[in-house]
Structure formats: C-alpha cells, structure tokens
Amino acid sequence: MSTLVLLTLTGLGLGALYFLIASGLSLIFGLMDVLNFAHGALVTAGAYAAWRLTGHLPFAVAIAAAIATGAALAALIETVLIRPLYSRPKDQILVTVGLGLALPALVQGIWGADARQLRAPRQLAGTVSVLGAKVPTDRFVLIAAAIVVLAALKLFLSRTRYGLVVRAGVEDRAMVTALGIDVRKAFTLVFAIGGALAGLAGALGGVYFGSVSPDQGTSLLVFGFVVVVIGGMGRTDGVALAAAAVGLIQQFTNYYAASGLGDFAAVAILAVVLLARGNRDGARRLIRRAA
C-alpha cells in the first residue's frame, strides 16, 4: 500500500511539473497560435536564476526571481522577435527553435555543462508520512502550485479584461484595434505569463530533481509538448488531466516494468491519441460526405 501511495503522489508531482510547463505552451498557442519552441530555454533560465539565489536569499525570493526572469525574457522575445512575424508562422518556428538552442548553449558557456546541485530549504527537503509512505514534501508543493496556476489561468481567460481582449484579438485583431484597444500589450502579457510559468517550472523542477543543468528545460519541453497534444491545444483542463496521466504512467511504468520505459510509454500514449483522433476525424468526414 505504501508503495502505491508513494508512486501515485510522486507521479502527480511529476505531472504537476509537466502541467506548469505545458500550461504556458498551451496558453500561447491556444490564444496566439504561436508554437514557442524556446519555452524550454525559459525553463532553464528560471532554473538557473533560482539556483544562483538559493542559499543566499530566502527560497521564496529565488522562486520570484525565476518567475521574473522567465516573464522578462518571454516579453522581450515577443516584442523583438515574434511581433514582426505574426503573419509568418514558419519564420516563428525557425526563430524560436534557434532561441531554444542558443539560450541553453549560452548558459552552458557561462556555468558549464555539468549539473549544479540546487539545495532546497529545510521545509522542502523533508518528507510527509501518508498511509505509511514517506513522500517528499516538494511533491506536495508542486501539486499545490499546479492547482493554483490552473485556477488562476481559468480566471484570467474568463473573468479578466485582458483575457477577453486577447481572445477577441485572435479572432479579429483589426476590429479590436478599431475600438481603441492596444492588442499588442495584451499579446505581450500572454507571452510574459507563459514565460513566468516556465520560470516557475524551472525553479520547482530544480527542487524536484535536486539539480539544474543547461539541457534540463529542453528535455522537459518534450514532455510538455506531449501533454499539450494529448490534452488539446488551448484546453487548460485537458492539459491538466493529460499532465497527471503522463506523470502517473511514467512513474508506474518505470517501477513495475523497467527504468526508462516510462518515457517510451508516454510517447506510445501520444501515438495512440493521435491515431485515434485521425480515425475519428476520418469517420466524421465520411459521415459528412454520406449526408
């Protein structure tokens, strides 16, 4: 029983980390139709910002610095590089892929390729006993952070002025601009929120793994995309459920099958989902033709 509880809560903690990464990807693509392949680099930037301050300042300050770093870099990327390319999606992909390679290389050039230990504060370094299982405290922190982010995103999209402006601007940018609303600021805000979530994921991911490395964000980005595709682009609830499912499947597969097969299982689920959607869409087209 204790093993089952430990695997479940650890899997949910990993899923929460995936959600923090995937939510920013889903938000930017769902609202702005931009595939940000530099998102993993923002995760790395947030991780290193937290690592540099951990041990020197309170951990809450390190987390805040990671969030601010991700938000600032994302806003800069949107303003300087993405804004001129909104009508050129292929160029957007090339630019963000280039950034996704260049920024980790810059980090590696400054701090080296070796992983750096991130020492969590004592409050997060211990364990919590749950039904006989000793669960690391940071798993609960990740789960709580994911729940807060999920609620905040839903409120932002449905209840705030900027959320409504962005959604309207995506549908008809010219009309919204004609009403005297500066859509560009709203788009920059969305990018900044996505970057802030990436920075938060980087800092908490460093706590989860106990270290940070230049390629950590890129590795996590792969699973972020897996979660977004399974959950659905722009569907926050679907992304949250997909993240939890992927985290749980990875943990249980690694434990009961073989270490490393969890990654294969996640990709296999993605393939099954894509095939199922393809068959469903094909069936719909046949029904429409028959009608």
Side-chain angles (χ1 to χ4, degrees):
M1 181 64 179
S2 61
T3 300
L4 181 63
V5 172
L6 179 60
L7 289 173
T8 300
L9 292 176
T10 301
L12 289 176
L14 182 60
L17 177 60
Y18 289 159
F19 172 74
L20 293 177
I21 298 170
S23 58
L25 284 171
S26 179
L27 181 70
I28 292 172
F29 184 83
L31 292 181
M32 304 169 65
D33 204 25
V34 175
L35 272 175
N36 184 16
F37 287 94
H39 200 73
L42 300 180
V43 174
T44 296
Y48 272 81
W51 166 70
R52 288 293 298 167
L53 295 178
T54 300
H56 304 286
L57 295 172
F59 189 67
V61 177
I63 292 290
I67 294 172
T69 299
L73 285 176
L76 181 64
I77 290 170
E78 192 279 334
T79 303
V80 177
L81 298 175
I82 302 299
R83 185 176 293 178
L85 301 176
Y86 276 122
S87 60
R88 296 152 59 187
K90 292 182 180 179
D91 291 339
Q92 290 174 10
I93 294 174
L94 291 174
V95 167
T96 56
V97 167
L99 282 172
L101 296 173
L103 290 179
L106 177 62
V107 170
Q108 181 174 329
I110 296 173
W111 289 292
D114 295 334
R116 303 280 182 159
Q117 183 181 8
L118 194 153
R119 296 180 179 178
R122 288 179 298 176
Q123 296 86 342
L124 300 183
T127 60
V128 178
S129 181
V130 180
L131 298 177
K134 299 292 184 180
V135 183
T137 306
D138 59 81
R139 274 48 169 181
F140 296 100
V141 174
L142 272 165
I143 294 171
I147 292 172
V148 171
V149 167
L150 175 61
L153 285 179
K154 291 178 71 66
L155 287 174
F156 170 75
L157 293 175
S158 61
R159 300 295 178 88
T160 66
R161 178 177 180 272
Y162 272 107
L164 297 175
V165 166
V166 171
R167 291 165 64 187
V170 171
E171 295 296 331
D172 194 335
R173 184 169 183 172
M175 180 196 71
V176 176
T177 303
L179 294 175
I181 299 173
D182 191 351
V183 180
R184 294 177 302 175
K185 291 182 179 179
F187 282 6
T188 303
L189 175 63
V190 170
F191 246 85
I193 292 174
L197 294 175
L200 175 62
L204 293 181
V207 174
Y208 182 94
F209 297 112
S211 63
V212 299
S213 62
D215 61 345
Q216 192 171 73
T218 304
S219 301
L220 290 171
L221 181 64
V222 173
F223 295 104
F225 274 116
V226 169
V227 167
V228 169
V229 173
I230 294 175
M233 293 288 189
R235 295 179 53 200
T236 307
D237 292 338
V239 168
L241 291 174
V246 170
L248 288 169
I249 288 170
Q250 276 190 288
Q251 290 297 312
F252 278 92
T253 303
N254 284 334
Y255 183 83
Y256 286 108
S259 179
L261 281 182
D263 296 351
F264 174 79
V267 176
I269 293 171
L270 173 63
V272 170
V273 170
L274 291 176
L275 288 173
R277 286 179 181 169
N279 292 334
R280 182 186 62 189
D281 293 340
R284 286 178 177 175
R285 285 193 292 269
L286 289 174
I287 291 173
R288 287 172 183 172
R289 290 175 184 176

Short mmCIF file of all heavy atoms in Angstrom, two decimals, residues 147-179:
data_model
loop_
_atom_site.label_atom_id
_atom_site.label_comp_id
_atom_site.label_asym_id
_atom_site.label_seq_id
_atom_site.Cartn_x
_atom_site.Cartn_y
_atom_site.Cartn_z
N ILE A 147 -2.30 23.44 -9.00
CA ILE A 147 -3.71 23.74 -8.74
C ILE A 147 -3.94 25.25 -8.76
O ILE A 147 -4.92 25.75 -9.34
CB ILE A 147 -4.15 23.13 -7.40
CG1 ILE A 147 -4.15 21.59 -7.50
CG2 ILE A 147 -5.53 23.63 -7.00
CD1 ILE A 147 -4.39 20.90 -6.18
N VAL A 148 -3.05 26.00 -8.12
CA VAL A 148 -3.17 27.46 -8.09
C VAL A 148 -3.07 28.03 -9.50
O VAL A 148 -3.85 28.91 -9.89
CB VAL A 148 -2.10 28.07 -7.16
CG1 VAL A 148 -2.08 29.59 -7.30
CG2 VAL A 148 -2.37 27.68 -5.72
N VAL A 149 -2.11 27.55 -10.28
CA VAL A 149 -1.93 28.03 -11.64
C VAL A 149 -3.15 27.71 -12.50
O VAL A 149 -3.61 28.55 -13.28
CB VAL A 149 -0.66 27.42 -12.26
CG1 VAL A 149 -0.61 27.65 -13.77
CG2 VAL A 149 0.58 28.04 -11.62
N LEU A 150 -3.69 26.50 -12.37
CA LEU A 150 -4.88 26.12 -13.13
C LEU A 150 -6.04 27.06 -12.83
O LEU A 150 -6.71 27.56 -13.75
CB LEU A 150 -5.27 24.68 -12.81
CG LEU A 150 -6.56 24.15 -13.43
CD1 LEU A 150 -6.49 24.19 -14.95
CD2 LEU A 150 -6.86 22.74 -12.93
N ALA A 151 -6.29 27.32 -11.54
CA ALA A 151 -7.39 28.22 -11.16
C ALA A 151 -7.13 29.64 -11.66
O ALA A 151 -8.06 30.30 -12.17
CB ALA A 151 -7.56 28.21 -9.65
N ALA A 152 -5.89 30.10 -11.55
CA ALA A 152 -5.56 31.47 -11.98
C ALA A 152 -5.73 31.63 -13.49
O ALA A 152 -6.24 32.67 -13.97
CB ALA A 152 -4.14 31.82 -11.56
N LEU A 153 -5.32 30.63 -14.26
CA LEU A 153 -5.46 30.71 -15.72
C LEU A 153 -6.93 30.73 -16.13
O LEU A 153 -7.32 31.49 -17.04
CB LEU A 153 -4.75 29.54 -16.38
CG LEU A 153 -3.22 29.60 -16.42
CD1 LEU A 153 -2.66 28.34 -17.08
CD2 LEU A 153 -2.73 30.84 -17.15
N LYS A 154 -7.74 29.92 -15.50
CA LYS A 154 -9.16 29.90 -15.83
C LYS A 154 -9.80 31.25 -15.52
O LYS A 154 -10.63 31.75 -16.29
CB LYS A 154 -9.86 28.77 -15.07
CG LYS A 154 -9.46 27.38 -15.54
CD LYS A 154 -10.12 26.29 -14.73
CE LYS A 154 -11.60 26.19 -15.02
NZ LYS A 154 -11.86 25.74 -16.39
N LEU A 155 -9.43 31.84 -14.40
CA LEU A 155 -9.96 33.17 -14.06
C LEU A 155 -9.46 34.22 -15.05
O LEU A 155 -10.22 35.10 -15.47
CB LEU A 155 -9.54 33.54 -12.63
CG LEU A 155 -10.26 32.80 -11.50
CD1 LEU A 155 -9.64 33.17 -10.16
CD2 LEU A 155 -11.75 33.13 -11.51
N PHE A 156 -8.19 34.15 -15.42
CA PHE A 156 -7.63 35.12 -16.35
C PHE A 156 -8.35 35.08 -17.69
O PHE A 156 -8.68 36.13 -18.28
CB PHE A 156 -6.14 34.85 -16.55
CG PHE A 156 -5.52 35.65 -17.67
CD1 PHE A 156 -5.25 36.99 -17.52
CD2 PHE A 156 -5.21 35.03 -18.88
CE1 PHE A 156 -4.70 37.73 -18.56
CE2 PHE A 156 -4.64 35.75 -19.91
CZ PHE A 156 -4.38 37.11 -19.76
N LEU A 157 -8.61 33.88 -18.18
CA LEU A 157 -9.20 33.74 -19.51
C LEU A 157 -10.68 34.11 -19.54
O LEU A 157 -11.18 34.60 -20.56
CB LEU A 157 -9.02 32.31 -20.01
CG LEU A 157 -7.57 31.89 -20.29
CD1 LEU A 157 -7.51 30.42 -20.66
CD2 LEU A 157 -6.96 32.73 -21.38
N SER A 158 -11.37 33.88 -18.44
CA SER A 158 -12.83 34.06 -18.46
C SER A 158 -13.32 35.30 -17.73
O SER A 158 -14.42 35.79 -18.01
CB SER A 158 -13.51 32.83 -17.85
OG SER A 158 -13.11 32.66 -16.49
N ARG A 159 -12.52 35.85 -16.82
CA ARG A 159 -13.04 36.93 -15.98
C ARG A 159 -12.28 38.25 -16.10
O ARG A 159 -12.77 39.26 -15.60
CB ARG A 159 -13.03 36.48 -14.51
CG ARG A 159 -13.87 35.26 -14.21
CD ARG A 159 -15.34 35.53 -14.45
NE ARG A 159 -16.15 34.36 -14.21
CZ ARG A 159 -16.65 34.04 -13.02
NH1 ARG A 159 -16.39 34.80 -11.97
NH2 ARG A 159 -17.39 32.95 -12.89
N THR A 160 -11.11 38.26 -16.72
CA THR A 160 -10.33 39.50 -16.77
C THR A 160 -10.47 40.17 -18.13
O THR A 160 -10.75 39.53 -19.15
CB THR A 160 -8.84 39.23 -16.51
OG1 THR A 160 -8.29 38.46 -17.58
CG2 THR A 160 -8.64 38.48 -15.20
N ARG A 161 -10.26 41.47 -18.13
CA ARG A 161 -10.37 42.25 -19.36
C ARG A 161 -9.32 41.82 -20.38
O ARG A 161 -9.62 41.65 -21.57
CB ARG A 161 -10.21 43.73 -19.04
CG ARG A 161 -10.27 44.65 -20.27
CD ARG A 161 -10.19 46.11 -19.85
NE ARG A 161 -10.25 46.99 -20.99
CZ ARG A 161 -9.18 47.39 -21.70
NH1 ARG A 161 -7.97 46.96 -21.35
NH2 ARG A 161 -9.31 48.19 -22.74
N TYR A 162 -8.07 41.62 -19.92
CA TYR A 162 -7.01 41.26 -20.85
C TYR A 162 -7.26 39.89 -21.47
O TYR A 162 -6.96 39.67 -22.65
CB TYR A 162 -5.66 41.29 -20.14
CG TYR A 162 -5.00 42.65 -20.17
CD1 TYR A 162 -4.94 43.44 -19.04
CD2 TYR A 162 -4.44 43.13 -21.35
CE1 TYR A 162 -4.34 44.69 -19.07
CE2 TYR A 162 -3.83 44.38 -21.39
CZ TYR A 162 -3.78 45.15 -20.25
OH TYR A 162 -3.19 46.38 -20.30
N GLY A 163 -7.79 38.97 -20.68
CA GLY A 163 -8.09 37.67 -21.23
C GLY A 163 -9.12 37.75 -22.35
O GLY A 163 -8.97 37.12 -23.40
N LEU A 164 -10.15 38.54 -22.15
CA LEU A 164 -11.18 38.71 -23.17
C LEU A 164 -10.64 39.46 -24.38
O LEU A 164 -10.99 39.16 -25.52
CB LEU A 164 -12.37 39.47 -22.57
CG LEU A 164 -13.11 38.74 -21.44
CD1 LEU A 164 -14.19 39.63 -20.84
CD2 LEU A 164 -13.72 37.43 -21.94
N VAL A 165 -9.77 40.46 -24.14
CA VAL A 165 -9.17 41.22 -25.24
C VAL A 165 -8.32 40.32 -26.12
O VAL A 165 -8.39 40.38 -27.36
CB VAL A 165 -8.33 42.39 -24.69
CG1 VAL A 165 -7.44 42.98 -25.79
CG2 VAL A 165 -9.23 43.48 -24.12
N VAL A 166 -7.52 39.45 -25.51
CA VAL A 166 -6.67 38.56 -26.28
C VAL A 166 -7.52 37.60 -27.11
O VAL A 166 -7.26 37.39 -28.30
CB VAL A 166 -5.72 37.77 -25.36
CG1 VAL A 166 -5.00 36.69 -26.13
CG2 VAL A 166 -4.72 38.71 -24.72
N ARG A 167 -8.53 37.03 -26.51
CA ARG A 167 -9.39 36.09 -27.24
C ARG A 167 -10.08 36.79 -28.40
O ARG A 167 -10.19 36.24 -29.51
CB ARG A 167 -10.40 35.48 -26.29
CG ARG A 167 -9.77 34.54 -25.27
CD ARG A 167 -10.69 34.22 -24.12
NE ARG A 167 -11.87 33.50 -24.54
CZ ARG A 167 -12.90 33.22 -23.74
NH1 ARG A 167 -12.86 33.60 -22.47
NH2 ARG A 167 -13.92 32.55 -24.19
N ALA A 168 -10.55 38.02 -28.18
CA ALA A 168 -11.19 38.77 -29.25
C ALA A 168 -10.16 39.18 -30.31
O ALA A 168 -10.45 39.16 -31.51
CB ALA A 168 -11.87 40.01 -28.68
N GLY A 169 -8.95 39.54 -29.88
CA GLY A 169 -7.92 39.96 -30.82
C GLY A 169 -7.47 38.84 -31.73
O GLY A 169 -7.13 39.08 -32.89
N VAL A 170 -7.47 37.62 -31.24
CA VAL A 170 -7.11 36.48 -32.07
C VAL A 170 -8.15 36.28 -33.17
O VAL A 170 -7.83 35.98 -34.32
CB VAL A 170 -6.97 35.21 -31.22
CG1 VAL A 170 -6.82 33.98 -32.10
CG2 VAL A 170 -5.77 35.34 -30.29
N GLU A 171 -9.41 36.46 -32.81
CA GLU A 171 -10.50 36.26 -33.77
C GLU A 171 -10.54 37.37 -34.82
O GLU A 171 -10.69 37.11 -36.01
CB GLU A 171 -11.85 36.19 -33.03
CG GLU A 171 -12.00 35.00 -32.11
CD GLU A 171 -11.98 33.69 -32.85
OE1 GLU A 171 -12.40 33.66 -34.03
OE2 GLU A 171 -11.53 32.69 -32.27
N ASP A 172 -10.41 38.64 -34.38
CA ASP A 172 -10.49 39.77 -35.31
C ASP A 172 -9.66 40.91 -34.74
O ASP A 172 -10.18 41.79 -34.04
CB ASP A 172 -11.94 40.20 -35.51
CG ASP A 172 -12.10 41.14 -36.71
OD1 ASP A 172 -11.12 41.80 -37.07
OD2 ASP A 172 -13.21 41.20 -37.27
N ARG A 173 -8.37 40.90 -35.06
CA ARG A 173 -7.45 41.89 -34.49
C ARG A 173 -7.79 43.30 -34.97
O ARG A 173 -7.72 44.26 -34.20
CB ARG A 173 -6.03 41.53 -34.88
CG ARG A 173 -4.98 42.45 -34.27
CD ARG A 173 -3.60 41.89 -34.46
NE ARG A 173 -2.59 42.71 -33.82
CZ ARG A 173 -1.32 42.37 -33.70
NH1 ARG A 173 -0.91 41.21 -34.16
NH2 ARG A 173 -0.46 43.18 -33.12
N ALA A 174 -8.19 43.44 -36.24
CA ALA A 174 -8.49 44.75 -36.79
C ALA A 174 -9.68 45.40 -36.06
O ALA A 174 -9.68 46.60 -35.77
CB ALA A 174 -8.77 44.65 -38.28
N MET A 175 -10.69 44.59 -35.77
CA MET A 175 -11.88 45.12 -35.10
C MET A 175 -11.54 45.61 -33.70
O MET A 175 -11.95 46.69 -33.28
CB MET A 175 -12.96 44.05 -35.02
CG MET A 175 -14.24 44.52 -34.33
SD MET A 175 -15.30 43.14 -33.86
CE MET A 175 -14.36 42.43 -32.51
N VAL A 176 -10.77 44.81 -32.96
CA VAL A 176 -10.41 45.19 -31.59
C VAL A 176 -9.55 46.45 -31.60
O VAL A 176 -9.73 47.35 -30.77
CB VAL A 176 -9.67 44.03 -30.90
CG1 VAL A 176 -9.20 44.44 -29.51
CG2 VAL A 176 -10.59 42.81 -30.80
N THR A 177 -8.63 46.53 -32.56
CA THR A 177 -7.79 47.72 -32.67
C THR A 177 -8.62 48.95 -33.00
O THR A 177 -8.36 50.05 -32.50
CB THR A 177 -6.71 47.51 -33.75
OG1 THR A 177 -5.94 46.35 -33.42
CG2 THR A 177 -5.77 48.71 -33.83
N ALA A 178 -9.65 48.78 -33.85
CA ALA A 178 -10.52 49.89 -34.22
C ALA A 178 -11.30 50.43 -33.02
O ALA A 178 -11.70 51.60 -33.01
CB ALA A 178 -11.50 49.45 -35.31
N LEU A 179 -11.48 49.59 -32.00
CA LEU A 179 -12.17 50.02 -30.78
C LEU A 179 -11.26 50.79 -29.84
O LEU A 179 -11.68 51.19 -28.75
CB LEU A 179 -12.75 48.81 -30.05
CG LEU A 179 -13.87 48.05 -30.79
CD1 LEU A 179 -14.26 46.80 -30.03
CD2 LEU A 179 -15.09 48.96 -30.98
#
